[in-house]
Amino acid sequence: MPPLRIPLRLTLIIFSLAAGISGIMAQECTYLVFSDEFNYQGEPNSEHWNYETGGGGWGNNELQTYTNSRDNSYVSNGTLKIHARKSSTGAWTSARMVTSGKASWKYGKFEIRAKLPHGVGTWPAIWMMPQNSVYGSWPKSGEIDIMEHVGYDPGIIHGSVHTEAFNHKDGTQKSGSVEVPDAQLQFHVYSIEWTPDEIKWFVDGEEYFSFSNLHISYKEWPFDQPFFLILNIAIGGDWGGAQGIDPDLEEAIMEIDYVRVYKTSLPDFNINGPSLVQNGEEVTYFVPPIEGISYEWSFPEGVDIISGGANNKITVQWGNRPGSVQCKMISGCEEKTGTPLSVDLKVIPDAAPFVLSALKDDGSSAWEVPEQSIENNFSLQSDGNVVRVNFSISDPAANPRITLPIGFTADFEEFRNVRVALKILDGDAPGVMRFDFIDSDGRVNTADLFKISDPVRNNHFHIYGHRFIGSSSSWNMHEITEVRLYVNYGITGRNGEGTFVLGDIQMAPDGFFVEPVVPDSEKFVLNLNTGIDGWQVSEPLSEQIALSGGGSLHITYSGIEASENNYIKINFPNPVDLHAFGQINVEFAPGGDFPGRMKIGLIDENGILNENDLFVVSDFSFVDQNENILTYGFGNVDDGGEFLPCRISEIRIWLDSDEGTSGNVDFSISDITFSEHDFGSGIFNELHYRSIRIWPNPVKEYIFFEQNNEWFDRWQIYNLSGKIVSGGTLNNFQEKIRLPGLSSGLYFLKLSNNQGNVHIGKFFVK
């Protein structure tokens, strides 16, 4: 039967050899891992070839200048032409084409079919250099010359290696030669076979030289690293011009029919394509093409394949999460998985505010504690919608910190304004804090830092903000991957232990965040002289409650059922910073039929109400009957979340929301004023009082306290308006009382005796 013919370009070639009389067949695979057949026209394939350009002799006193011009390199009629030309001034140009940066290989079979140029002074070469000179500059990292030819010695082909131990500079070069009389007239195949132990040189399949690995050191054998291919024609030089240059020579052309690289096993390979993508972006990934094998791709969940999938190139639409791209080559002999490509998700905010959450989806802290000095410790705990941070700092110079990995790459170029909610709790308040936004190269703009010195400490959240200048030469705001929070760091840091709470970080473009109104006097007055302007009635009561003006806010209604929707409110055009104005004073007009119960609350710009801190009025007994003022101190009860007293946007008054009313209500509010804390004239005018510790706080069924060996016989409870709401006597050793029925709010416990000793402590009722 006729012999089996295997096409020349078939990339998976299976050779079967008889293994003795047993008839057992051994199988070997060979793969074409790179080829350029030059079956196109014009510019050489830019996916395969780069150019090394310039003059200066190239270390060998050569005369030509290498260019990337089509005058010196082009593809036509099925072959690549490297064309050296002499100009009218006698200057030579040529081309030096390389696969560096495109492809490199360690071991394999390399075949180049070429026809060499004529002319004394020409020096064509097909050779290889290391992709990375890991052992040092030439010749330490090696050189492999597959084919060299000099024009003054036509018909002689040379193959050689250069190493630190063996090179022509030292006269120790290892090389071989073979006669090929028609090398300048006909195409011949110049090849090497390179293994870990040996390199062999061939012309048209006939071996003429070999170089063995002595297994001593890199000085003899640096050929355990990837090398790339080079095709060029030099003019003149130490070797090519050793017998001069033909003065009549005007040009020289080397033609290459094909370049092919084979390996006997599937190659190690990397996945090429973008490592930073956006949600919904269409992207393409590819690996080296090897015909005759299949490719198996895998992507993170949510990535949709658009085209490809079984070949070396695939186009996908990326999803909404980062992950890795993986590819496996599969042949009839083996499988090989490439190095996975880690792909990060790039997010460009399209709506403000863009939130970096303090918590993960499972409710745990998104902030982390990296390894650092053992003298500095942090513990993180999620608490509702925020993260509670306990810290102990003994080594500020070690820059104690916690980190917030974003989980993707964020482009904040247009979202330069940052706000963070921060609340200082127990212990030592940090003296200095700093939020660093870290880019993908681990850099921060040290000239533009978000720094907080001596943050406000009053058990409530405060907003801290900063506007970044933007990207700089040493920092890229287009690619932010992490936030670091330094606490008591550097020379201004201080030792201490304490607790603070972090809310979400918000990013926004210029003009989005509205700065709060900060009162510029000791009081903030909600002016009611304009009557009902700005006040609104909740929808369910819009037909039952009447508001009228005339120097006060006049409120009349009757017969409403209990509901949390029974309220009137006023909204501020801009948020108001009331964190330093914690006392509210409400002045009522003399006389009137008051509601059975009324509540007043503050609501921040995010619509958050501290439900544990309401001014509740269940009877209208005034401290001063001439002024008709009731007073309450906001801000003494933990907000339990992210309430922002520094950004109040609404005041809401609930009317009989708990009990409703069957009668008529007719009263007026003359004035509402916010001021600094002043807890009335009744309790804090006591002289020589001491504070007393009360627990639990907020109290439950009993109020526990310590008498501190100063035994008391009387107790009294005051509300914030200074009115006594309950009282009784104490036995000598009694240190608890049952909590009387009290509404939610802040109260004061006064203990006293006949000797004039007074102890006072505050407690909360939820």
Side-chain angles (χ1 to χ4, degrees), residues 26-44:
Q27 182 170 278
E28 178 185 347
C29 289
T30 300
Y31 308 95
L32 180 63
V33 297
F34 177 91
S35 72
D36 199 333
E37 305 296 322
F38 305 111
N39 51 3
Y40 51 90
Q41 297 288 115
E43 179 183 0

Side-chain angles (χ1 to χ4, degrees), residues 46-256:
S46 60
E47 293 185 3
H48 292 166
W49 305 101
N50 282 321
Y51 292 87
E52 292 179 343
T53 59
W58 292 87
N60 298 301
N61 297 308
E62 301 165 18
L63 299 183
Q64 80 292 333
T65 295
Y66 290 125
T67 79
N68 59 5
S69 168
R70 297 292 72 76
D71 288 338
N72 300 117
S73 60
Y74 51 92
V75 178
S76 64
N77 300 320
T79 63
L80 167 68
K81 278 80 171 176
I82 294 182
H83 198 151
R85 299 175 185 266
K86 185 169 69 173
S87 71
S88 59
T89 63
W92 283 91
T93 58
S94 184
R96 178 166 163 146
M97 296 174 55
V98 299
T99 63
S100 177
K102 306 289 188 180
S104 60
W105 308 269
K106 182 174 71 172
Y107 313 134
K109 182 177 182 180
F110 301 80
E111 287 187 352
I112 300 91
R113 186 170 186 264
K115 182 170 64 173
L116 307 183
H118 295 272
V120 175
T122 61
W123 185 2
I126 300 168
W127 52 304
M128 303 182 75
M129 287 290 284
Q131 184 65 67
N132 300 295
S133 296
V134 298
Y135 300 120
S137 59
W138 189 94
K140 294 179 180 179
S141 292
E143 174 184 325
I144 303 172
D145 298 320
I146 299 174
M147 186 287 305
E148 283 188 285
H149 177 267
V150 289
Y152 66 80
D153 194 12
I156 304 299
I157 300 300
H158 306 273
S160 60
V161 295
H162 299 273
T163 72
E164 184 172 349
F166 308 116
N167 63 84
H168 72 273
K169 297 287 187 182
D170 295 335
T172 57
Q173 176 178 333
K174 299 295 184 180
S175 62
S177 301
V178 63
E179 186 175 356
V180 184
D182 59 351
Q184 297 165 297
L185 300 173
Q186 301 295 329
F187 284 93
H188 294 275
V189 177
Y190 304 97
S191 61
I192 62 168
E193 293 180 2
W194 171 23
T195 70
D197 298 309
E198 187 178 35
I199 304 176
K200 296 180 180 180
W201 279 254
F202 302 84
V203 174
D204 296 332
E206 296 293 328
E207 181 182 347
Y208 69 93
F209 173 60
S210 66
F211 175 74
S212 297
N213 185 356
L214 300 179
H215 298 287
I216 300 175
S217 72
Y218 79 88
K219 295 180 180 180
E220 296 78 24
W221 182 271
F223 306 116
D224 57 357
Q225 302 294 324
F227 278 58
F228 62 88
L229 274 167
I230 307 174
L231 310 174
N232 74 286
I233 298 176
I235 300 296
D238 296 339
W239 190 13
Q243 296 186 18
I245 302 173
D246 182 354
D248 295 328
L249 187 65
E250 299 292 333
E251 63 178 2
I253 301 174
M254 177 167 63
E255 289 191 65
I256 296 94

Side-chain angles (χ1 to χ4, degrees), residues 52 73 98 103 175 194 247 357 376 439 446 588 600 622-623 639 651 656 662-663 677:
E52 292 179 343
S73 60
V98 299
S175 62
W194 171 23
S357 176
N376 303 318
D439 70 12
T446 56
F588 295 85
I600 301 176
F622 301 101
V623 175
D639 54 49
I651 296 178
D656 286 316
S662 57
H677 285 291

